[in-house]
Amino acid sequence: MVRLPLSAVVGQAEAKLALQLAAIDPSLGGVLLRGPRGTAKSSMARGLAAWLDGAPFVDLPLGADEDKLVGSLDLQAVLQDKHVRAEPGLLARADGGVLYADEVNLLPDHLVDLLLDAAASGVVQVEREGVSRRFDAAFVLVGTMNPDEGDLRPQLLDRFGLCVDVLTPTDPRERSAVLHQRLQAQHDGARFAAEHAAAEDAARARLRAARAGLAAVAVAHMCERVAVACADAGVDGLRGDLAWLAAARAHAALHGRSRVEDDDLAVTRDLALRHRLPEQPPEPPTGRRPNDSRQSTRPDSAAVAASVPSLARDGDSARAEARVGRGARGQTAATRDRAGAARRVETGAAVAWASTLRHAGGVPTSIEAIRHRARYRKQGGAWIVLLDCSASMLRGGVLARTQGAVADLVRQAYWQRRDIAVLRFGGDGVETLVPLGRAPKRTPLCVRVVQGGGGTPLAAGLAAVRELVHRAAGDATDRQLWLFTDGRVPRQTLPDPGCAVTVVDTLGGAGGHARRLATQLGGESRALDSLVRRAA
């Protein structure tokens, strides 16, 4: 594979600048590159490491666990010498270089939290079985994500120092330049690298000088201006203010200035604030903000939004309340591994070596003597929405009203940290609108605007749901089907969807069709119209 020098990347000036600023001041907390596949995100991250005088480049695997990231025990030392010693993880190995976290939005939240903690502090603390060890971890964090695959939760997004939307070039000339460049690199990689060697050396020297001169750059005189601008923009918290000041100072250092100027603030504003500026809805499903006089563009949907939480099963509210009390990394006290807290759990869990040695009085001689640490389990669960789009749903605007309720259910799943899938059935078959995965922050347009008509292939829809249920993460009790329908389906044998079922009656009980269908599926029925009336 030919490495593409960062100086050779066509376009993407904002992304290249953000990477340089984060390298000048790693305490910024890293850079998040958002964009579709094939926009040179990984190439730019690798190219940055080459600008740091041959610093390490550590690629974080998507399936990495906490031990691999933070560190673990040296098992050989435990078994041979009966000495418990901590072994550094990927964070410590990236010290002085670049840690690249591709598809960071698909990582568990507690791992993203660990990444961001280390990126901001420059150290990582390994605490395992009574052993505490501190490792240097001053690296530049580069996270990438494709927004089409789901967003980061707001509290994690806010902790990235800088954010860049990396877009596919639309100018044919720029696209053509990219193609020519790639062909040249593939044809003769050594010659291609030699042609860019001078530019690489210059960039490396410039970055080295900026890092050395950063501490001498004056920035305090810009505090009031930054604070006023962030307050006027409605930026929550102070991370945006601090990141903007730090980015402006790094930009001044990059240009050899000893004092932050207006141009430094102007260039770095969007990098530091674009992911922190307040957005319009979606909001948490608790109603409008106080004193919000704005009118919804979908009044029926807005009424349904307040009622959607009442659709949830009784157990869901208890789980939601339990999640409120969790720590910053989303773990309960029972799942944290601390000295003396080893427990016997299911086979396959990580071994608690220190507790095992103490309990067995040496190297264990039987399986029963081995103790394990509890695993972190993802919270949430999976919702699968099945939307009836047959011809009967078009009467009286029922489908349009139901679409608003489905969109609000997707929004609620996002705030409850659930996985979700949305399928429609009607006409000749079943169509997936939202593939199974983490609920998106913004409800896709295909959910809010759905065409209807034709027959009612409910059996095919339930068969598709059953397949998704087997793929969904979590226990069976955390899998729920929401079937939005008027219940007017042909008499037929229906497959078991393999999970709990709630039939949302879009006709409000008229004719009792949905209620009979719910009984046939072994589930419960709720009337959508009555929910709207209660919320009005």
Side-chain angles (χ1 to χ4, degrees):
M1 179 179 177
V2 178
R3 184 186 68 81
L4 186 66
L6 183 54
S7 60
V9 173
V10 176
Q12 308 299 1
E14 191 177 41
K16 289 188 285 188
L17 174 60
L19 292 172
Q20 292 180 76
L21 298 181
I24 294 169
D25 185 1
S27 67
L28 265 168
V31 179
L32 179 64
L33 303 179
R34 301 186 298 196
R37 296 178 296 274
T39 50
K41 297 189 296 294
S42 61
S43 295
M44 289 189 287
R46 292 179 184 276
L48 178 65
W51 281 10
L52 297 176
D53 295 319
F57 178 85
V58 176
D59 193 345
L60 176 65
L62 189 58
D65 58 13
E66 185 173 341
D67 281 351
K68 190 172 185 65
L69 191 66
V70 176
S72 59
L73 296 182
D74 185 338
L75 300 184
Q76 185 175 358
V78 171
L79 295 175
Q80 292 183 355
D81 307 328
K82 297 183 182 180
H83 176 66
V84 182
R85 185 170 65 242
E87 188 174 85
L90 294 177
L91 297 178
R93 294 175 193 173
D95 181 45
V98 175
L99 181 67
Y100 176 62
D102 193 17
E103 297 182 317
V104 67
N105 54 319
L106 303 183
L107 290 172
D109 286 354
H110 75 293
L111 292 187
V112 181
D113 212 19
L114 289 173
L115 283 173
L116 293 165
D117 277 347
S121 65
V123 295
V124 60
Q125 192 83 13
V126 180
E127 295 182 1
R128 293 290 184 272
E129 315 301 336
V131 177
S132 181
R133 178 75 183 277
R134 185 185 181 96
F135 293 103
D136 290 333
F139 55 80
V140 181
L141 173 62
V142 181
T144 67
M145 58 174 283
N146 185 345
D148 292 339
E149 297 174 348
D151 208 344
L152 273 172
R153 300 199 60 77
Q155 64 269 31
L156 297 177
L157 182 64
D158 177 57
R159 296 190 61 196
F160 273 93
L162 307 176
C163 179
V164 180
D165 290 323
V166 183
L167 305 177
T168 303
T170 57
D171 185 344
R173 291 172 297 182
E174 186 173 337
R175 294 177 76 112
S176 177
V178 173
L179 298 178
H180 281 294
Q181 179 196 72
R182 289 287 182 174
L183 291 175
Q184 291 172 8
Q186 292 172 4
H187 177 67
D188 191 342
R191 180 179 178 182
F192 183 79
E195 290 175 351
H196 292 87
E200 288 286 284
D201 289 342
R204 195 176 294 114
R206 187 183 183 199
L207 199 58
R208 191 185 306 119
R211 298 179 79 173
L214 178 66
V217 177
V219 68
H221 61 286
M222 290 295 187
C223 287
E224 184 175 356
R225 183 178 300 183
V226 165
V228 170
C230 288
D232 289 345
V235 176
D236 288 333
L238 293 177
R239 282 201 182 105
D241 307 53
L242 294 171
W244 190 6
L245 282 172
R249 188 173 71 154
H251 187 266
L254 184 63
H255 289 80
R257 292 191 285 270
S258 60
R259 180 182 175 88
V260 173
E261 299 177 358
D262 292 345
D263 180 63
D264 300 312
L265 290 181
V267 170
T268 57
R269 179 187 183 278
D270 288 346
L271 294 176
L273 300 185
R274 66 159 46 90
H275 56 304
R276 296 182 169 98
L277 294 175
E279 298 179 350
Q280 298 300 322
E283 298 173 1
T286 55
R288 292 193 181 102
R289 292 190 179 101
N291 302 321
D292 189 352
S293 60
R294 293 172 295 185
Q295 297 297 315
S296 171
T297 57
R298 291 187 295 121
D300 291 336
S301 172
V304 176
S307 66
V308 167
S310 65
L311 294 172
R313 292 170 293 164
D314 293 340
D316 290 336
S317 59
R319 283 192 292 273
E321 291 176 3
R323 281 194 293 275
V324 172
R326 300 191 193 282
R329 294 188 174 90
Q331 300 182 48
T332 62
T335 65
R336 292 180 184 146
D337 173 34
R338 294 294 183 267
R343 289 165 295 280
R344 298 171 188 247
V345 294
E346 69 274 10
T347 301
V351 176
W353 284 106
S355 293
T356 298
L357 293 173
R358 286 194 298 267
H359 177 71
V363 177
T365 58
S366 65
I367 294 178
E368 290 74 16
I370 296 177
R371 292 192 168 191
H372 302 270
R373 290 188 279 110
R375 284 176 170 174
Y376 171 83
R377 291 176 181 264
K378 179 180 178 181
Q379 300 299 319
W383 281 353
I384 301 174
V385 178
L386 188 58
L387 175 60
D388 185 352
C389 293
S390 60
S392 62
M393 290 282 289
L394 298 179
R395 300 169 187 168
V398 172
L399 180 58
R401 235 154 77 99
T402 304
Q403 287 169 199
V406 172
D408 292 321
L409 191 64
V410 173
R411 184 182 67 170
Q412 183 187 359
Y414 168 77
W415 287 105
Q416 292 189 10
R417 307 175 70 169
R418 295 181 181 274
D419 289 344
I420 197 167
V422 181
L423 293 76
R424 65 175 294 275
F425 66 96
D428 298 328
V430 182
E431 178 186 2
T432 299
L433 301 179
V434 177
L436 181 63
R438 182 179 295 185
K441 183 177 182 180
R442 298 173 181 85
T443 304
L445 183 63
C446 60
V447 173
R448 294 182 274 119
V449 181
V450 182
Q451 301 298 318
T456 314
L458 177 57
L462 292 173
V465 169
R466 185 177 182 84
E467 181 180 351
L468 286 179
V469 165
H470 288 299
R471 291 165 44 197
D475 298 329
T477 56
D478 287 329
R479 304 170 190 176
Q480 172 79 19
L481 169 63
W482 302 98
L483 172 56
F484 288 80
T485 180
D486 57 10
R488 294 174 176 173
V489 299
R491 292 185 177 274
Q492 56 186 307
T493 301
L494 297 175
D496 179 7
C499 63
V501 179
T502 296
V503 178
V504 182
D505 185 358
T506 60
L507 294 183
H513 304 294
R515 187 167 57 253
R516 288 192 292 271
L517 177 60
T519 301
Q520 183 179 354
L521 294 175
E524 61 177 354
S525 174
R526 301 289 178 89
L528 180 61
D529 284 351
S530 65
L531 293 173
V532 172
R533 284 196 296 272
R534 282 200 299 270

